[in-house]
Every structure is written in C-alpha cells, then in structure tokens.
Amino acid sequence: MSHKTLLRTGPLMQGGTSPYGPLGLPDAEGLALPSGFTGRVVARSGDKVAGLTWHAAPDGGACFPDGDGWIYVSNSELPLLGGASALRFRADGTVGDAYRILSGTDLNCAGGATPWHTWLSCELGHRGRVFECDPYGARAARPRLAMGRFRHEAAACDPERRVVYLTEDEPDGCFYRFSPSDWGDLTEGTLEVLCGSGQWRVVPSPAGLLQETRHQVADARRFDGGDACHYAGGVCYFTTKGDAGLWAYDGQTAALDRLCEGVRTITAAPSGDLYAARRTTQIDVIAPDREVTPFLRLEGQAGVELTGLAFSPRGDRLYFSARRGRAEGRTFEVAGPFRA
C-alpha cells in the first residue's frame, strides 16, 4: 500500500462506488454484506465454544498463523476479570479449540500483534500495564513494565523503526513509542512521548509512581482519548474517542495528519485496503486512492460497538466483535472474495 497516497494528496473522499458493490439484505443476525460474502457468529458472550465460556465485553483482537489454520485472539474489557481468550481454527474454518491466554487482569481493552507472533494486551485501568501473551497457549503471559504504567488502550509494532506505538485513553492523553533494547524482547527499553514540536522525548519515569507519564514532559502533544492503533505500510493509524478522529503518523517523515472523523477502530488487509469501524454499526473500506465506501453494516443494533477488527493470515476472512456495554457480545467472521 502506498501510504503517501493517503497522507500527501488531500483528505479522504466519502462515497463513490464500493469495490464490492452494494450491501445486500441483512441476515438473521442483522449483518448486511455485499454479494459473494458470508457471515457467521463464531462466539457469543456467556456461551460455550469448544468447551470455553466466551468472555463478555470482547474488544481488541488479532489473528496469528497456526500451521494450515489460524488463531483469533480477543481481549475482554471487564474490570478485574478481563484478560484475553483465543479461538483456534482448523484449515477448513471450523473451530478446533478455545482457551484463555491471559486471566486476572483489569479492563483489557485493545492491544496489538507483534512480528514475533505474540499478543500485547493493554489494561485500560489507572496505571494499567501491557501484557505480552502467547496466542498459542504454550507460555504464560508476562507484564512488560518498561512500556509504562498508564491507561493503555492499544499498541502497534513498527518493524522498520523497531518501535511499538502506544495510545493512552485520557482526555489529555499522549501518543507514545517504546524502543526495546533488543527488538523482539520487550523486557527493557526506552519510553518516549510525541511532543508538539514533532519530536520524541524520553519519559523520565515510565512507572509513573510520583507523576503520571503524560505529565512528565512539558510540551507533550495531547489527544482526546487515544483509542485503536494499527501499523501498516509505514504508517501508524490511530483513533481518538473524544473527537472521533482517525489519525496517521508517518514513521519515516514524522508527519502527523488527521484523515477523517467518526472512526472507532481500524485494521489493514493484506491488499493494502484499510477497514474502519465507524461510531455507527458500519465498517467502511478505505482504498489506496482514498475513497471511502461501506463494506458491511449491522442492522437494528442500536447501541452496539464494533471492536477487534482483524484479518486472517491469508486475508480471506475478517473478524470483529459487536458488543453492548460489558455484557452482551458476539464475535463475527466474514468470509468472501476480499481484494488480493
């Protein structure tokens, strides 16, 4: 994907013709899709899936390769009981296993996948932590305290610059980056904050014991509730809750642009298209030429929030959850002829 197309040639363009055509009639779950696509619910909060009771408040998610199959990981934004669970899919798309990969943590909202196939699960609570989890369920999760103690929302790895970008869910929150001492090992490293000058400055005390991290650097740039975060094609895309903005930070040029309004979370397909969940119950596709068109919609679902967008490793299935508060939640799979 040419990220400079999005960043350098003007704002995104709403409307136009979708690459997948118009949306069809909603199915029994209220899911309206273009012709050729199918949807199903793979997990429901409180119901058993492969022997596991699926968690409430499903939020951030990611997919990981697993031989001929794949794994979808989902956070739970519950107080004290949060954590994260995984669904293991066989090559034919059936669910072969389901299990916990993190338990006993607080308000696990979003997170991010690493290039070395681990899941960073972020705690949203006061002085929240980042936990590095094994999506395959073989190793215990570990807190990565050098990444700071604050209201963590999401994380996105930039393998080109070997940093991890982090968002903070505060009305005057900051945008951070963590540089590990050894790429692939998040135990130690340097936490920096983006400043109004466009420069990055070191956070003196990432633990935030005496002073919160966002208040430690005087000219730190403020964002109204940092939310989702995703890296693709040289750009870190992130959203802000308070003003519903979609932002793009170019890691090479250090340019920061606000692309559009009304976006809740975002992911990228292997094709380079971006998929953005709106504050409504709609997911749009953003093509490299900056045209924004509807991809799917959940009909008759007022008050539902779409979370956890992630593509399977082959790019032929899109996963997301539809949650209402901290109780009801459904995790969907959409399969079909996504653009290569």
Side-chain angles (χ1 to χ4, degrees):
M1 174 180 183
S2 175
H3 63 271
K4 293 185 182 300
T5 301
L6 281 174
L7 291 176
R8 298 289 176 249
T9 57
L12 302 183
M13 298 181 295
Q14 301 288 334
T17 303
S18 169
Y20 301 113
L23 302 185
L25 295 175
D27 63 13
E29 296 287 346
L31 185 61
L33 294 165
S35 177
F37 287 85
T38 59
R40 61 172 176 153
V41 174
V42 293
R44 295 179 190 270
S45 297
D47 288 358
K48 295 280 189 180
V49 53
L52 176 77
T53 300
W54 194 242
H55 54 265
D59 207 280
C63 283
F64 300 87
D66 185 44
D68 292 335
W70 61 95
I71 292 168
Y72 177 70
V73 166
S74 171
N75 274 350
S76 173
E77 195 186 345
L78 283 179
L80 304 177
L81 301 173
S85 302
L87 297 173
R88 174 174 273 128
F89 292 88
R90 302 185 183 97
D92 64 359
T94 58
V95 178
D97 196 8
Y99 47 92
R100 295 285 283 175
I101 62 170
L102 178 65
S103 297
T105 51
D106 185 39
L107 295 169
N108 293 82
C109 199
T114 69
W116 48 92
H117 295 161
T118 60
W119 168 245
L120 301 180
S121 183
C122 297
E123 286 185 314
L124 189 60
H126 178 64
R127 299 191 72 245
R129 298 159 293 179
V130 175
F131 281 82
E132 188 169 15
C133 310
D134 177 15
Y136 304 95
R139 300 186 306 275
R142 293 287 183 266
R144 299 308 185 197
L145 301 181
M147 302 181 80
R149 300 291 302 273
F150 54 86
R151 293 189 189 276
H152 281 280
E153 179 71 41
C157 290
D158 176 349
E160 298 173 67
R161 277 149 287 278
R162 297 193 167 189
V163 300
V164 183
Y165 299 106
L166 302 160
T167 55
E168 180 179 28
D169 188 5
E170 296 276 10
D172 59 345
C174 293
F175 184 53
Y176 301 89
R177 72 178 183 188
F178 178 72
S179 302
S181 301
D182 182 13
W183 185 241
D185 181 354
L186 303 176
T187 308
E188 298 179 344
T190 302
L191 183 68
E192 298 173 290
V193 64
L194 181 66
C195 294
S197 63
Q199 296 180 326
W200 293 90
R201 296 192 180 179
V202 174
V203 176
S205 177
L209 288 172
L210 300 178
Q211 187 179 35
E212 293 174 319
T213 54
R214 70 187 190 280
H215 295 148
Q216 293 180 23
V217 177
D219 62 340
R221 178 155 183 174
R222 309 294 171 178
F223 296 90
D224 192 356
D227 203 358
C229 191
H230 187 83
Y231 178 86
V235 175
C236 180
Y237 300 94
F238 65 96
T239 62
T240 44
K241 288 181 181 177
D243 53 10
L246 171 62
W247 302 76
Y249 177 78
D250 187 320
Q252 181 176 358
T253 66
L256 178 68
D257 291 277
R258 187 181 174 101
L259 300 183
C260 67
E261 317 298 322
V263 175
R264 168 68 176 85
T265 188
I266 192 162
T267 194
S271 64
D273 292 328
L274 299 178
Y275 286 75
R278 292 290 185 174
R279 294 302 174 108
T280 60
T281 55
Q282 179 169 301
I283 294 178
D284 289 344
V285 56
I286 307 175
D289 64 3
R290 310 180 333 275
E291 195 162 74
V292 183
T293 53
F295 172 69
L296 68 79
R297 187 179 299 117
L298 270 180
E299 302 282 2
Q301 307 287 321
V304 164
E305 178 183 6
L306 304 186
T307 63
L309 275 65
F311 274 91
S312 62
R314 292 197 301 266
D316 59 347
R317 299 168 193 253
L318 172 66
Y319 294 90
F320 69 95
S321 291
R323 53 173 284 198
R324 181 176 281 111
R326 292 179 178 166
E328 175 189 340
R330 292 171 293 164
T331 299
F332 286 85
E333 175 195 86
V334 173
F338 288 98
R339 300 203 295 183

